[in-house]
Amino acid sequence: DAGVIQSPRHEVTEMGQEVTLRCKPISGHDYLFWYRQTMMRGLELLIYFNNNVPIDDSGMPEDRFSAKMPNASFSTLKIQPSEPRDSAVYFCASSPGFFYGYTFGSGTRLTVV
Amino acid sequence: GQQLNQSPQSMFIQEGEDVSMNCTSSSIFNTWLWYKQDPGEGPVLLIALYKAGELTSNGRLTAQFGITRKDSFLNISASIPSDVGIYFCAGQTMGAQKLVFGQGTRLTINP
């Protein structure tokens, strides 16, 4: 298995632009998580899905952030419009279920200038 | 909300030394996990613990699930340069799919 695949690995964009981050979870994993990592706040859970349905989006910072999971093999995290304070590493992770832990992707490093 | 206090925040050691770090919480967890993050990569699961008092090893790594269910420990024996990275603890409560992560321990090794 190729693991959790995220793209792009790096994204540099100008303030106000739309940014879309992509994730392909491990086949057969029913849970998908989006995290944001910064030096100040560590790993923050933004949203997670179970069987393609959003379960908890309480970590999404504001309406500029949205996430979708149109099928079991693909999810997107969109920021529109982007702001410099959105600069961070965004991780996608997937899990087969309770007590199995998560498998993380390699992350997307987002820089908004 | 639930929080995990991980300590120390950073460690600077000599190659060959043993390392100890821990994680404490005010809440009871049913699962404790330890992850390692290498620079530029996502966290990778090292050890999972499912029972209070459980002691589990993975090579030179040993982790324990505290008896109170409110803490966990990770030890690394005879450290080597590739042990450098950030170590995270994570806890999970019964019935909750979300993991709660600690702030991480950054390990630096002087050769």
Side-chain angles (χ1 to χ4, degrees):
Chain A
D1 198 320
V4 177
I5 300 173
Q6 290 187 247
S7 64
R9 285 299 307 270
H10 302 274
E11 177 80 35
V12 180
T13 190
E14 291 185 346
M15 182 173 64
Q17 296 297 306
E18 177 180 295
V19 175
T20 300
L21 311 181
R22 297 172 175 80
C23 176
K24 176 179 170 55
I26 292 174
S27 177
H29 282 197
D30 293 334
Y31 291 86
L32 183 139
F33 305 83
W34 282 101
Y35 277 84
R36 178 171 67 178
Q37 185 178 37
T38 60
M39 288 292 291
M40 291 298 295
R41 301 174 70 90
L43 280 165
E44 298 177 275
L45 177 64
L46 301 177
I47 185 172
Y48 81 91
F49 296 82
N50 179 24
N51 291 323
N52 314 336
V53 176
I55 302 300
D56 185 346
D57 65 354
S58 60
M60 296 287 261
E62 47 198 276
D63 292 345
R64 297 185 297 106
F65 286 69
S66 62
K68 294 182 179 179
M69 192 165 186
N71 57 62
S73 59
F74 184 65
S75 177
T76 59
L77 178 67
K78 185 177 294 186
I79 308 173
Q80 165 64 20
S82 58
E83 297 182 3
R85 60 194 169 113
D86 301 330
S87 297
V89 181
Y90 291 81
F91 287 104
C92 175
S94 69
S95 171
F98 288 103
F99 309 124
Y100 288 93
Y102 304 168
T103 301
F104 283 83
S106 296
T108 295
R109 180 174 294 277
L110 174 65
T111 303
V112 183
V113 298
Chain B
Q2 295 171 321
Q3 286 188 322
L4 294 182
N5 296 311
Q6 191 170 345
S7 66
Q9 290 188 350
S10 59
M11 301 183 73
F12 298 84
I13 63 170
Q14 297 293 123
E15 183 177 351
E17 288 185 15
D18 296 342
V19 173
S20 292
M21 61 190 77
N22 68 81
C23 212
T24 61
S25 171
S26 57
S27 302
I28 290 175
F29 288 101
N30 294 89
T31 302
W32 283 93
L33 304 162
W34 285 91
Y35 286 83
K36 182 196 177 196
Q37 184 177 22
D38 289 327
E41 296 297 329
V44 174
L45 182 63
L46 298 174
I47 293 178
L49 303 158
Y50 300 107
K51 291 173 56 177
E54 180 180 357
L55 188 70
T56 298
S57 294
N58 178 4
R60 294 177 296 105
L61 277 62
T62 302
Q64 184 163 23
F65 193 141
I67 290 293
T68 66
R69 294 181 174 268
K70 294 183 178 181
D71 56 10
S72 181
F73 306 86
L74 177 68
N75 295 315
I76 305 172
S77 63
S79 58
I80 60 178
S82 62
D83 292 333
V84 165
I86 303 176
Y87 292 80
F88 291 97
C89 62
Q92 188 174 35
T93 56
M94 180 66 72
Q97 182 56 33
K98 291 194 296 186
L99 290 179
V100 179
F101 280 88
Q103 289 294 88
T105 294
R106 182 179 296 274
L107 178 63
T108 302
I109 298 176
N110 298 315

